[in-house]
């Protein structure tokens, strides 16, 4: 089967045609400034016949727990989940609608939350009033397509079955999260009800004491709408140093920019704390895995994070990585692995499994 994959990230659009062997036959990537609908229409015309289109959707809400063919009912359920991921869902749903209008092939929703759907109750539950939990307030987790692929690929790189591995996986891109994966299944993760929880990100704050947010509302009259916008678009690295691209921040820090140096310090400190906390959900750590744009390409961040995790015996003397690789392997210590993010390949696999069932 040829599967056309549509991946709307927080800072880009990636379109691929993936063949049976996970090989990309056609691809295009554009940033947020491009007219995504026009790019999609042009790509569909160029791609030729495909068996299905698979759409990455960050949030499936409480109802969607696996890859599913989109009909009007499912489209309504996705709309209900849009408020939970305001940075990602509206543009992704707009392209889903465009694809449904443009092509009569099956449109398949591949949701990031599905990988975490079977997390243990203790990991998924917030200690909030029961009525809130009945309304659906729980920890959903995100970046699931990336984690599913990285878990399988790490098994190949270590020559072990993913079902026998216990992994700490970091997806670091514009969005940043980490996940504890035990025997191929998510058992804990840093993002929760929305993708705003957890580590420091490019423009998102990560976890903030809810008491501070309530204080800002009552003492400084920051409205809910303003707070949402500021936490999503003006926080994280952007809030710390005025820049959101970690490559630029690293260059500025190397030239003596104190704000950029401090931003990296905060980023690494919080990420290390998140990863170390997840280790408590595993019985052992077989490997620390980096994926996502920052995880794949920033040797500085990988090294500094590993140095903070010496308590877990993670090596910090790392080899360079230009592609998928084991970059540290010391006897009886966790390996350190880099995996190229391939949400497209994972989406294509899920689409094939659904259509072949």
């Amino acid at each position: 089967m040829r599967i056309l994959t549509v991946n709307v990230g927080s800072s880009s659009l990636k379109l691929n045609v993936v063949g049976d062997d996970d090989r990309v036959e056609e691809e295009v990537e554009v940033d947020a400034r491009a007219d995504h609908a026009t790019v999609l229409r042009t790509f569909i015309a160029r791609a030729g016949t495909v068996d299905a289109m698979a759409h990455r959707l960050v949030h499936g809400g409480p109802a969607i727990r696996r890859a599913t063919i989109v009909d009007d009912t499912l489209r309504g359920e996705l709309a209900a989940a849009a408020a939970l991921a305001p940075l990602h869902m509206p543009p992704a749903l707009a392209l889903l609608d465009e694809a449904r209008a443009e092509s009569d092939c099956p449109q398949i929703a591949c949701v990031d939350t599905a990988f975490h759907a079977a997390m243990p109750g203790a990991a998924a539950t917030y200690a909030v009033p029961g009525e809130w939990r009945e309304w659906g307030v729980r920890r959903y987790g995100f970046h699931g397509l990336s984690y599913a692929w990285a878990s399988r690929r790490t098994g190949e790189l270590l020559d072990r079955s993913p079902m026998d591995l216990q992994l700490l996986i970091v997806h670091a891109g514009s969005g940043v999260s980490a996940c504890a994966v035990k025997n191929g299944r998510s058992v804990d993760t840093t993002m929760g009800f929305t993708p705003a929880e957890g580590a420091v990100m490019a423009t998102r704050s990560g976890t903030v004491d809810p008491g501070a947010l309530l204080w800002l509302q009552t003492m400084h009259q920051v409205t809910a709408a303003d707070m949402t916008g500021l936490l999503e678009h003006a926080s994280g690295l952007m809030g710390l140093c005025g820049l959101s691209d970690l490559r630029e921040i690293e260059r500025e820090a190397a030239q003596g920019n104190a704000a950029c140096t401090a931003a990296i310090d905060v980023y690494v400190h919080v990420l290390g704390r998140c990863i170390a906390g997840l280790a408590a959900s595993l019985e052992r750590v077989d490997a620390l895995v980096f994926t996502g744009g920052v995880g794949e390409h920033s040797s500085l961040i990988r090294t500094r994070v590993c140095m903070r995790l010496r308590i877990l015996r993670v090596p910090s003397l790392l080899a360079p990585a230009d592609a998928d690789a084991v970059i540290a392997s010391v006897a009886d210590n966790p390996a350190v692995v880099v995996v190229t993010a391939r949400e497209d390949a994972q989406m294509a696999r899920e689409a094939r499994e659904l259509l072949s069932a």
Side-chain angles (χ1 to χ4, degrees):
M1 296 183 188
R2 297 178 82 236
I3 308 296
L4 193 159
T5 64
V6 182
N7 184 350
V8 182
S10 57
S11 60
S12 65
L13 166 65
K14 300 176 184 177
L15 302 172
N16 291 339
V17 175
V18 183
D20 283 329
D21 56 357
D22 297 329
R23 183 173 59 87
V24 175
E25 299 179 3
E26 299 273 352
E27 64 182 322
V28 67
E29 181 174 357
V30 296
D31 63 23
R33 295 168 294 182
D35 182 341
H36 288 183
T38 299
V39 172
L40 177 64
R41 287 194 297 268
T42 302
F43 190 79
I44 290 173
R46 189 179 82 198
T49 302
V50 296
D51 295 280
M53 295 177 63
H55 298 258
R56 179 196 172 206
L57 294 160
V58 166
H59 212 309
I64 305 169
R65 301 168 67 90
R66 62 185 61 83
T68 309
I69 294 176
V70 178
D71 57 17
D72 291 343
T73 300
L74 189 87
R75 177 61 180 83
E77 292 173 342
L78 290 168
L84 303 180
L87 201 61
H88 299 83
M89 288 293 282
L93 291 176
L95 282 192
L96 173 60
D97 293 340
E98 187 72 35
R100 294 181 74 194
E102 194 73 16
S103 173
D104 59 3
C105 73
Q107 306 291 325
I108 298 171
C110 298
V111 297
D112 269 312
T113 49
F115 185 68
H116 308 287
M119 268 198 312
T125 302
Y126 286 117
V128 296
E131 186 177 34
W132 295 8
R133 298 197 301 275
E134 290 172 6
W135 292 341
V137 176
R138 55 157 288 170
R139 305 189 69 252
Y140 288 99
F142 300 91
H143 289 138
L145 294 164
S146 177
Y147 290 133
W149 175 263
S151 176
R152 189 185 73 83
R153 185 71 181 115
T154 298
E156 293 175 351
L157 293 169
L158 296 178
D159 196 25
R160 295 175 61 181
S161 168
M163 302 308 295
D164 295 329
L165 288 173
Q166 299 195 35
L167 307 173
L168 294 171
I169 308 180
V170 180
H171 180 106
S174 294
V176 182
S177 71
C179 184
V181 179
K182 181 178 179 181
N183 305 334
R185 296 179 59 186
S186 170
V187 294
D188 206 350
T189 190
T190 57
M191 286 179 170
F193 182 63
T194 74
E197 188 178 4
V200 173
M201 305 174 223
T203 64
R204 279 173 277 173
S205 61
T207 298
V208 178
D209 181 348
L213 305 182
L214 294 170
W215 179 82
L216 289 167
Q217 286 183 315
T218 56
M219 299 300 294
H220 291 274
Q221 292 74 53
V222 179
T223 67
D226 286 344
M227 187 171 294
T228 298
L230 292 168
L231 290 173
E232 290 279 354
H233 302 288
S235 297
L237 292 169
M238 177 64 76
L240 291 168
C241 68
L243 299 171
S244 61
D245 188 324
L246 198 50
R247 294 167 296 188
E248 188 176 358
I249 294 169
E250 288 184 17
R251 287 194 296 268
E252 287 290 320
Q255 294 171 11
N257 185 314
C260 289
T261 297
I264 293 173
D265 290 344
V266 174
Y267 183 96
V268 169
H269 177 87
V270 176
L271 184 54
R273 183 173 63 199
C274 288
I275 298 166
L278 291 175
S281 294
L282 300 175
E283 296 160 348
R284 64 179 191 276
V285 179
D286 294 315
L288 172 64
V289 184
F290 291 94
T291 189
V294 174
E296 296 165 31
H297 300 297
S298 176
S299 59
L300 172 68
I301 295 301
R302 291 196 301 262
T303 298
R304 290 197 54 182
V305 168
C306 288
M307 289 176 66
R308 290 199 62 81
L309 296 176
R310 284 173 292 189
I311 193 170
L312 301 179
R313 298 185 295 107
V314 173
S316 57
L317 184 60
L318 308 177
D322 295 323
D324 293 7
V326 179
I327 60 172
S329 181
V330 180
D332 298 325
N333 286 22
V336 182
V337 179
V338 174
V339 171
T340 303
R342 287 292 312 274
E343 285 118 329
D344 60 323
Q346 182 63 28
M347 291 157 64
R349 284 174 174 244
E350 292 184 8
R352 290 191 197 99
E353 289 174 4
L354 177 63
L355 296 174
S356 299

